[in-house]
């Protein structure tokens, strides 16, 4: 177990459509691993297109809040439990997310691209009959579009999520091939004081890299980026704090001496 990164700031429970794990089980696992804190970031993806497996990415916010704050108190002697959300960004949702983030008492808001112009790359349809390069590039373009419509998130989630699902995954993918648009994204984030996350989901998807990949994280640091949270994107207890030893090594190798945790929407910098 790593002893450098003691917060897992991206995780789901049964409040998310794609998880069936009760919150308590995620918290118990985090306690067993000796984490200092966790942040639940349940999915809210309004206007998510119909899926083959008929998932419903809406979120019962009222019950989510009640359950989380009840458990937060119950576990307060053992672990800190923060209240977050993962917003599924689409260009037309800016006003809705502005309203939501100004009224709900979040500790932490991740903005993520899941749906690109009506398709989630998680499903093969997004890639059908097209070059992988064009699909990846369209994903990055949509990040810039999303940031034009809404920039009220604390970090942008798993910046290169699309490569988890491409036909060749990350075999042909590198920072260099997309450096123009990735730099534009990173500069935009930095200028608006939005961080990125190191999402270790890439390791359990077999990429051998986090999302975004190490070279993008290094580039973010080079361009002056300082805010970076760490999350395993766990949907089941076995993935809590997954590959956090690797995450710590990557951050150090990229020039970070701190990682970031958000409380009441404010960044706190914890030494590695
Ligand atoms: Zn996500
Ligand atoms: Zn997630």
């Amino acid at each position: 177990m790593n002893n450098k990164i003691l917060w897992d700031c991206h995780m789901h429970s049964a409040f998310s459509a794609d998880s069936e794990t009760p919150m308590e089980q995620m918290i118990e696992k985090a306690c067993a691993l000796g984490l200092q804190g966790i942040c639940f970031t349940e999915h809210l993806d309004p206007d998510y297109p119909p899926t083959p497996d008929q998932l419903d990415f809406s979120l019962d916010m009222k019950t989510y809040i009640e359950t989380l704050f009840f458990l937060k108190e119950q576990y307060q002697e053992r672990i800190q439990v923060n209240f977050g959300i993962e917003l599924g960004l689409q260009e037309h949702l800016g006003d809705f997310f502005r309203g939501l983030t100004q009224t709900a008492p979040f500790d932490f808001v991740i903005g993520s691209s899941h749906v690109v112009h009506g398709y989630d790359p998680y499903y093969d349809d997004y890639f059908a009959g097209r070059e992988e390069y064009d699909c990846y590039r369209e994903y990055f373009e949509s990040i810039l579009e999303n940031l034009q419509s809404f920039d009220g998130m604390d970090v942008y989630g798993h910046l290169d999520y699309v490569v988890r699902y491409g036909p060749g995954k990350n075999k042909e993918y590198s920072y260099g091939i997309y450096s123009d648009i990735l730099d534009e994204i990173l500069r935009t984030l930095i200028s608006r004081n939005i961080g990125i996350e190191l999402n270790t989901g890439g390791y359990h998807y077999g990429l051998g890299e986090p999302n975004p990949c190490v070279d993008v994280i290094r580039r973010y640091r080079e361009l002056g980026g300082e805010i970076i949270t760490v999350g395993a994107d766990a949907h089941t207890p076995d993935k809590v704090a997954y590959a956090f030893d690797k995450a710590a090594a990557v951050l150090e190798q990229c020039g970070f001496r701190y990682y970031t945790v958000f409380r009441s929407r404010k960044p706190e910098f914890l030494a590695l």
Side-chain angles (χ1 to χ4, degrees):
M1 176 59 191
N2 95 101
N3 53 10
K4 293 193 166 168
I5 297 172
L6 297 174
W7 277 81
D8 187 338
C9 289
H10 188 151
M11 80 170 56
H12 301 271
S13 76
F15 285 102
S16 293
D18 54 357
S19 168
E20 287 170 8
T21 310
M23 244 179 200
E24 292 94 320
Q25 288 182 21
M26 300 300 274
I27 301 173
E28 284 291 341
K29 178 66 186 197
C31 291
L33 289 171
L35 296 186
Q36 227 167 58
I38 55 175
C39 186
F40 282 97
T41 52
E42 306 292 355
H43 285 298
L44 175 62
D45 286 71
D47 297 335
Y48 192 91
T51 70
D53 34 0
Q54 300 191 320
L55 295 179
D56 175 3
F57 279 102
S58 57
L59 173 61
D60 178 356
M61 189 68 81
K62 184 167 175 287
T63 319
Y64 174 32
I65 290 177
E66 284 167 8
T67 310
L68 186 136
F69 282 90
F70 173 76
L71 292 171
K72 182 185 180 74
E73 203 182 313
Q74 203 171 56
Y75 279 89
Q76 63 184 345
E77 307 289 320
R78 295 173 64 194
I79 191 166
Q80 297 174 59
V81 179
N82 280 0
F83 173 47
I85 194 158
E86 181 178 14
L87 304 175
L89 306 173
Q90 296 188 63
E91 214 180 347
H92 66 283
L93 297 172
D95 287 339
F96 175 72
F97 287 147
R98 248 183 302 283
L100 178 75
T101 50
Q102 282 162 12
T103 49
F106 296 119
D107 287 302
F108 181 43
V109 175
I110 301 176
S112 292
S113 292
H114 297 132
V115 177
V116 182
H117 304 144
Y119 295 90
D120 187 337
Y122 179 85
Y123 298 101
D124 294 342
D125 284 14
Y126 178 71
F127 297 96
R130 305 201 295 155
E131 294 291 331
E132 189 180 84
Y133 173 84
D134 297 326
C135 298
Y136 288 5
R137 196 158 188 98
E138 185 185 0
Y139 183 86
F140 295 133
E141 282 163 0
S142 83
I143 290 179
L144 287 170
E145 292 161 14
N146 287 335
L147 284 167
Q148 291 305 322
S149 105
F150 177 70
D151 62 4
M153 68 288 280
D154 299 313
V155 303
Y156 212 102
H158 48 55
L159 272 183
D160 56 11
Y161 161 92
V162 68
V163 312
R164 289 182 186 171
Y165 308 109
K169 294 204 167 186
N170 61 344
K171 280 198 216 66
E172 310 272 311
Y173 164 73
S174 70
Y175 159 72
I177 299 175
Y178 303 91
S179 62
D180 57 333
I181 192 155
L182 286 167
D183 278 5
E184 197 180 340
I185 292 168
L186 295 174
R187 287 183 209 278
T188 305
L189 293 173
I190 292 165
S191 72
R192 299 188 190 194
N193 212 25
I194 302 166
I196 63 170
E197 66 160 356
L198 187 163
N199 185 309
T200 60
Y203 292 112
H204 55 82
Y205 272 90
L207 302 178
E209 297 250 9
N211 298 109
C213 67
V214 176
D215 286 348
V216 173
I217 294 172
R218 184 182 296 111
R219 183 63 176 154
Y220 171 70
R221 185 70 203 96
E222 275 172 15
L223 291 171
E226 289 180 317
I227 300 170
I228 187 157
T229 61
V230 183
D233 213 345
H235 292 64
T236 48
D238 59 309
K239 298 296 192 303
V240 173
Y242 187 86
F244 269 26
D245 50 345
K246 290 191 178 116
V250 165
L251 288 180
E252 286 177 335
Q253 172 194 335
C254 293
F256 288 93
R257 294 164 62 196
Y258 301 88
Y259 68 104
T260 313
V261 169
F262 279 82
R263 203 189 308 264
S264 304
R265 308 291 315 275
K266 301 229 162 38
E268 296 172 9
F269 296 89
L270 306 181
L272 284 165

